[in-house]
Amino acid sequence: MSRWRAVASRLSASHFFSRAFSKPPSPLPQPLSRTFSKAASAAATSHSPSAASSASPWPEVRLNSMFLSKPSSLALPPDSPLRAEDPHYEGIKRLMLTLLLFYSKQSKSIRGANTVYHRITSHVDKPDIYEVFQLEKTFKTTFSLLVLHMWLVLRRLKEEGKDGVKFGQYIYETYNHDVELRVSKAGVNLLLIKWMKELEKIFYGNIVKYDTAISPEASQDDLVNVIWRNVYADEGSEPMDAAATPAVQALARYTRREATCLSLTDKEAMFSGNFNFTTVLPTVPSPAKRRR
């Protein structure tokens, strides 16, 4: 029995899957091959001509041609309303905050780590990422995508040496606290430490696999196979579903491109959280542009 199936069988008894990582209630996940097929079928229906005429405009998703553009920095521009900035106080307010260590290096690092983690969770929680990569939103898929994006950020921070590793530890502590809260809110209070240890093993196991799959010695297919096992497959040894192949390959291209984009993102943006992950869904043209 795989570690995922062991965790799933234990947590499902407390309805953990339907509550921990999704706000609206959802049924317990089916085996991933059926879960993927269900999502892919829904995607195909929603993009069919008959559906398009009756539904609201939705950009066409062409998996085979996505995430092939040249990588670029993910840093937010200086005038972006999404930027996170420390308040600039003067006089007595600044003095008081200074005495309270608000402007200390550690306090700034903690605030930056919280912002970075918010970027990760807001991206992973968007419906777009499940729509494009044809995933049903379950605990496994959400947790797997969360771990994938944590790895992308921690990998980039390692490029900054000791400072990056230390800052990454603040992000990991924020992640760990968030996961513990989600598990606790889902009603899994009994043996909570045990469940957290199981999830921690999965986290570090996936991190090692991603590092190996993207190393210079790895082949192009290694990352595809790892993503299939970590995100899509119910069992790690399960062969790749032919119907899932385009989506798995697209997620692998997205991952490889995003890793390069983060490497092009400057240190200040990474440490302050002033960056945004690539939007996975193509932009919907406005009605005026569509009529031209």
Side-chain angles (χ1 to χ4, degrees):
M1 179 180 287
S2 70
R3 179 168 286 144
W4 260 121
R5 183 171 287 279
V7 173
S9 63
R10 294 166 185 166
L11 296 181
S12 61
S14 61
H15 305 291
F16 177 79
F17 286 98
S18 61
R19 292 181 287 175
F21 278 84
S22 58
K23 293 180 180 179
S26 59
L28 299 183
Q30 301 298 318
L32 264 288
S33 58
R34 293 199 295 273
T35 299
F36 169 81
S37 299
K38 180 179 177 181
S41 175
T45 302
S46 64
H47 298 147
S48 66
S50 59
S53 61
S54 58
S56 59
W58 188 263
E60 184 178 1
V61 176
R62 297 180 179 179
L63 287 172
N64 292 331
S65 61
M66 296 179 73
F67 312 114
L68 296 172
S69 59
K70 184 179 179 180
S72 59
S73 170
L74 300 179
L76 293 170
D79 59 347
S80 172
L82 299 177
R83 288 184 64 87
E85 304 286 358
D86 276 344
H88 298 286
Y89 294 117
E90 299 295 337
I92 189 66
K93 285 186 177 180
R94 186 172 183 86
L95 176 61
M96 292 298 295
L97 288 173
T98 301
L99 292 174
L100 294 171
L101 304 180
F102 180 81
Y103 295 107
S104 69
K105 185 177 181 181
Q106 184 180 28
S107 292
K108 288 183 177 180
S109 294
I110 292 173
R111 289 196 297 277
N114 288 335
T115 303
V116 171
Y117 188 69
H118 174 71
R119 303 290 185 197
I120 294 173
T121 55
S122 61
H123 186 66
V124 169
D125 285 338
K126 289 179 181 176
D128 298 358
I129 201 166
Y130 301 90
E131 171 72 22
V132 169
F133 298 120
Q134 300 178 357
L135 289 164
E136 186 173 358
K137 190 171 184 180
T138 65
F139 169 71
K140 181 184 188 294
T141 56
T142 302
F143 182 77
S144 298
L145 290 175
L146 178 61
V147 173
L148 175 63
H149 287 80
M150 280 288 292
W151 167 74
L152 284 168
V153 169
L154 295 177
R155 177 183 179 275
R156 165 62 183 91
L157 291 173
K158 284 182 180 179
E159 297 173 8
E160 300 296 337
K162 292 183 179 179
D163 286 345
V165 172
K166 186 175 181 179
F167 183 67
Q169 185 60 36
Y170 285 122
I171 299 173
Y172 177 76
E173 289 171 1
T174 305
Y175 150 86
N176 210 41
H177 180 65
D178 176 54
V179 172
E180 184 174 337
L181 283 176
R182 294 181 188 235
V183 174
S184 181
K185 287 180 180 178
V188 185
N189 294 310
L190 188 64
L191 300 177
L192 176 62
I193 295 176
K194 182 178 181 180
W195 306 140
M196 291 301 297
K197 285 183 177 179
E198 289 294 331
L199 295 177
E200 184 179 36
K201 290 177 183 177
I202 294 171
F203 177 90
Y204 282 111
N206 286 6
I207 292 291
V208 171
K209 292 172 185 175
Y210 288 133
D211 278 336
T212 303
I214 208 169
S215 66
E217 299 79 19
S219 68
Q220 284 290 112
D221 290 338
D222 285 350
L223 184 58
V224 175
N225 292 330
V226 168
I227 285 177
W228 162 255
R229 291 193 297 269
N230 287 354
V231 181
Y232 289 83
D234 188 37
E235 291 287 351
S237 59
E238 182 182 341
M240 189 182 301
D241 188 330
T245 301
V248 179
Q249 291 175 338
L251 183 52
R253 288 196 305 274
Y254 161 83
T255 301
R256 198 177 294 277
R257 183 182 183 279
E258 211 71 351
T260 305
C261 289
L262 285 168
S263 292
L264 296 172
T265 304
D266 63 273
K267 179 180 178 179
E268 188 280 329
M270 293 302 306
F271 279 62
S272 64
N274 285 317
F275 67 91
N276 247 354
F277 291 100
T278 302
T279 302
V280 297
L281 201 62
T283 304
V284 182
S286 65
K289 290 182 179 180
R290 286 199 299 270
R291 287 195 294 268
R292 291 176 184 176

